[in-house]
């Protein structure tokens, strides 16, 4: 028995339906590799009845959850988010002490992931960070993302511009692996439903026009979520023939305000509007594929929708700073601005232009495989844990 090669323990944390969907194929690859022991820690919105108890979806997909880590408090104020982070750090420290992972994999920029990264850093567990170097200047996630980059030892940015930002933060280029965005593997590896099939699946007609609406709180503005979302709802009233699919906002500060407004709007527009706590990645992307316009301020409108050649109306500053495709129409959060953007997205001229568009992000379906192989083979030793600031441009002595 002593001659057997020990499996590398790779711990992955997921805190929401969104990051689970982006991590899905990486989890599949990690689980199927005999040289890897996948450890899965589920937290945040996955464990909330409000957001559909989506940990069940993970189990239905065949994954063993090693730890269900409760940290999400009921409130959505700035103070309750901070308290949740504190609970998370304590709980992650205990979890990592029990699981003893060789490496921790985190994706993105949410506060649940920040808590995991701090606990891992203090436990001297090397962190591999997916999707560093992005920009979303309207969210507190901007600071969280770059902070996780500085705590991480291995980086998987989604593109060259993102790689340059990670370099600019002083990270060693030999530790940066730029394969692309693993979530885009879904579009290449999933057999997405056509319009008739998704209509049957949801019992919902997509004709004559269907809008997918995903709107999250703008966390760096002083509680403007209600005003901005009310402007959007007022605009939707001016498109009475449109069919509306609302997805839930994230569990960020002020998210409950948006959720209440969606509930009230759908209740008043039952003939043409539906709300879903969790469509899952397969059904969500199938909806996007067959929609006429994606409306809101979600990153999916800037990353997945362009690859499916679907117009996006991106509202406000939440995603400001991200790489944007020609399919994305940016507008302010006013009734006039949103109306003008939707009208443009619905024109045949605009949609025709998208047929020849080259999306800024793409996938050959193998990005997750490349990330898995790196996690499997990267050397983990004391040198890896010693970070040195990498100078992109040497300073000239005065």
């Amino acid at each position: 028995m002593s001659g057997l090669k020990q499996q590398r323990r790779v711990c992955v944390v997921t805190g929401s339906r969104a990051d689970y969907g982006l991590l899905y194929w990486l989890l599949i690859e990690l689980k199927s590799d005999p040289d890897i022991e996948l450890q899965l820690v589920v937290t945040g919105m996955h464990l909330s009845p409000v957001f559909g108890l989506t940990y069940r979806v993970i189990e239905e997909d065949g994954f063993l959850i090693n730890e269900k880590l409760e940290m999400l408090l009921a409130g959505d104020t700035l103070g309750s988010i901070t308290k949740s982070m504190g609970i998370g750090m304590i709980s992650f420290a205990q979890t990592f002490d029990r699981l003893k992972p060789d490496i921790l994999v985190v994706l993105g920029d949410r506060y649940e992931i920040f808590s995991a990264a701090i606990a891992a850093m203090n436990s001297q567990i090397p962190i591999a960070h997916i999707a560093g170097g992005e920009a979303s200047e309207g969210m507190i996630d901007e600071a969280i993302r770059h902070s996780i980059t500085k705590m991480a030892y291995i980086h998987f940015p989604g593109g060259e511009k993102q790689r340059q930002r990670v370099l600019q933060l002083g990270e060693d280029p030999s530790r940066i692996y730029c394969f692309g965005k693993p979530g885009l593997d879904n579009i290449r590896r999933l057999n997405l439903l056509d319009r008739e099939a998704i209509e049957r699946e949801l019992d919902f007609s997509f004709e004559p026009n269907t809008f997918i609406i995903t709107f999250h709180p703008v966390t760096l503005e002083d509680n403007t979520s209600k005003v901005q979302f009310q402007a959007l709802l007022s605009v939707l009233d001016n498109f009475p023939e449109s069919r509306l699919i609302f997805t839930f906002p994230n569990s960020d500060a002020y998210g409950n305000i948006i959720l209440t407004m969606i509930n009230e709007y759908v209740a008043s527009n039952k003939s043409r509007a539906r709300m879903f706590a969790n469509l899952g990645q397969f059904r969500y992307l199938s909806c996007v594929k067959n929609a006429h316009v994606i409306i809101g301020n979600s990153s999916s409108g800037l990353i997945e929708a362009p690859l499916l050649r679907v117009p996006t109306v991106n509202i406000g500053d939440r995603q400001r700073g991200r790489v944007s495709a020609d399919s994305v129409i940016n507008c302010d959060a006013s009734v006039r601005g949103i109306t003008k953007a939707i009208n443009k997205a619905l024109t045949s001229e605009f949609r025709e232009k998208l047929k020849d568009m080259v999306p800024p992000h793409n996938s050959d379906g193998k990005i997750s495989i490349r990330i898995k192989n790196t996690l499997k083979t990267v050397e983990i030793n004391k040198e890896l844990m010693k970070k040195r600031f990498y100078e992109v441009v040497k300073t000239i002595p005065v």
Side-chain angles (χ1 to χ4, degrees):
M1 293 294 292
S2 60
L4 292 177
K5 181 179 178 181
Q6 184 176 356
Q7 290 179 307
R8 175 166 287 186
R9 295 185 296 272
V10 179
C11 182
V12 181
V13 174
T14 172
S16 71
R17 66 189 189 277
D19 68 20
Y20 172 67
L22 302 178
L23 288 165
Y24 175 77
W25 289 107
L26 176 59
L27 293 173
I28 290 286
E29 296 298 334
L30 291 169
K31 178 187 174 185
S32 62
D33 194 308
D35 295 326
I36 291 174
E37 177 191 338
L38 171 62
Q39 300 175 331
L40 190 55
V41 178
V42 171
T43 187
M45 289 188 283
H46 285 304
L47 306 179
S48 169
V50 173
F51 295 98
L53 294 171
T54 49
Y55 78 87
R56 295 172 178 168
V57 175
I58 299 173
E59 292 178 333
E60 289 167 4
D61 285 342
F63 295 109
L64 170 68
I65 298 175
N66 297 82
E67 187 81 33
K68 296 185 183 78
L69 195 152
E70 292 275 7
M71 62 174 285
L72 186 62
L73 297 180
D76 71 340
T77 64
L78 296 175
S80 65
I81 298 297
T82 305
K83 290 176 184 177
S84 292
M85 292 171 69
I87 293 169
M89 276 188 273
I90 294 169
S91 301
F92 277 117
Q94 295 168 340
T95 296
F96 295 151
D97 186 55
R98 181 176 69 82
L99 295 179
K100 294 180 171 49
D102 295 310
I103 191 166
L104 175 72
V105 179
V106 294
L107 182 147
D109 45 34
R110 286 189 54 76
Y111 60 84
E112 302 98 333
I113 303 306
F114 189 48
S115 296
I118 291 175
M121 177 187 66
N122 287 330
S123 299
Q124 296 185 25
I125 300 167
I127 301 165
H129 185 208
I130 300 172
E134 297 287 346
S136 50
E137 297 170 13
M139 297 189 289
I140 195 171
D141 302 23
E142 173 83 355
I144 290 176
R145 183 189 308 110
H146 298 327
S147 297
I148 295 173
T149 292
K150 291 309 301 178
M151 288 186 277
Y153 299 86
I154 302 162
H155 308 276
F156 298 104
E160 179 56 28
K161 188 166 186 177
Q162 292 83 355
R163 189 184 80 87
Q164 290 296 329
R165 289 185 182 134
V166 173
L167 277 173
Q168 197 172 349
L169 286 167
E171 295 304 294
D172 188 334
S174 68
R175 300 182 178 191
I176 304 173
Y177 302 87
C178 190
F179 301 134
K181 297 179 181 294
L184 292 179
D185 285 353
N186 282 305
I187 295 174
R188 299 303 183 202
R189 296 175 71 166
L190 293 174
N191 186 19
L192 299 179
L193 301 175
D194 61 20
R195 180 164 296 179
E196 289 184 359
I198 190 63
E199 285 179 335
R200 287 195 302 271
E201 178 78 13
L202 301 182
D203 190 23
F204 186 81
S205 173
F206 276 54
E207 295 293 347
N209 289 318
T210 296
F211 301 161
I212 310 296
I213 299 141
T214 303
F215 192 91
H216 300 298
V218 185
T219 51
L220 284 183
E221 296 182 7
D222 188 16
N223 201 6
T224 62
S225 298
K226 182 176 181 179
V227 174
Q228 292 189 11
F229 197 61
Q230 185 57 60
L232 172 55
L233 295 179
S234 298
V235 170
L236 296 178
D237 286 338
N238 296 329
F239 293 86
E241 300 301 316
S242 63
R243 311 282 292 170
L244 310 174
I245 293 178
F246 290 89
T247 64
F248 271 34
N250 286 336
S251 61
D252 296 316
Y254 315 124
N256 285 343
I257 296 171
I258 296 174
L259 190 55
T260 299
M261 295 171 74
I262 294 174
N263 273 306
E264 291 173 353
Y265 191 86
V266 171
S268 300
N269 294 269
K270 292 180 179 179
S271 63
R272 70 186 189 104
R274 292 278 299 277
M275 175 179 67
F276 293 91
N278 177 48
L279 281 165
Q281 199 74 357
F282 176 63
R283 293 198 301 172
Y284 176 72
L285 288 175
S286 295
C287 284
V288 172
K289 173 187 173 183
N290 294 289
H292 294 82
V293 190
I294 311 304
I295 303 173
N297 57 14
S298 169
S299 61
S300 63
L302 281 76
I303 298 172
E304 284 87 354
L307 194 53
L308 293 167
R309 302 294 195 278
V310 178
T312 296
V313 170
N314 180 51
I315 302 170
D317 291 339
R318 190 174 189 270
Q319 299 297 341
R320 188 177 66 188
R322 284 193 187 269
V323 176
S324 187
D326 292 339
S327 59
V328 178
I329 305 168
N330 296 300
C331 66
D332 59 37
S334 67
V335 170
R336 182 177 180 275
I338 299 169
T339 302
K340 183 179 178 182
I342 294 175
N343 281 326
K344 180 179 179 180
L346 290 173
T347 63
S348 57
E349 293 82 5
F350 186 80
R351 300 182 70 85
E352 189 67 25
K353 186 175 67 174
L354 303 188
K355 293 180 180 179
D356 299 322
M357 178 189 70
V358 178
H361 307 294
N362 210 331
S363 166
D364 61 357
K366 299 179 180 178
I367 295 171
S368 298
I369 295 173
R370 297 184 185 100
I371 293 175
K372 184 269 293 187
N373 286 336
T374 303
L375 294 170
K376 176 180 174 178
T377 59
V378 67
E379 192 170 356
I380 299 175
N381 52 30
K382 291 183 179 179
E383 274 304 305
L384 179 68
M385 302 300 291
K386 295 178 182 177
K387 294 190 69 169
R388 297 176 179 85
F389 194 94
Y390 180 82
E391 299 284 356
V392 179
V393 178
K394 297 296 182 181
T395 56
I396 301 173
V398 177

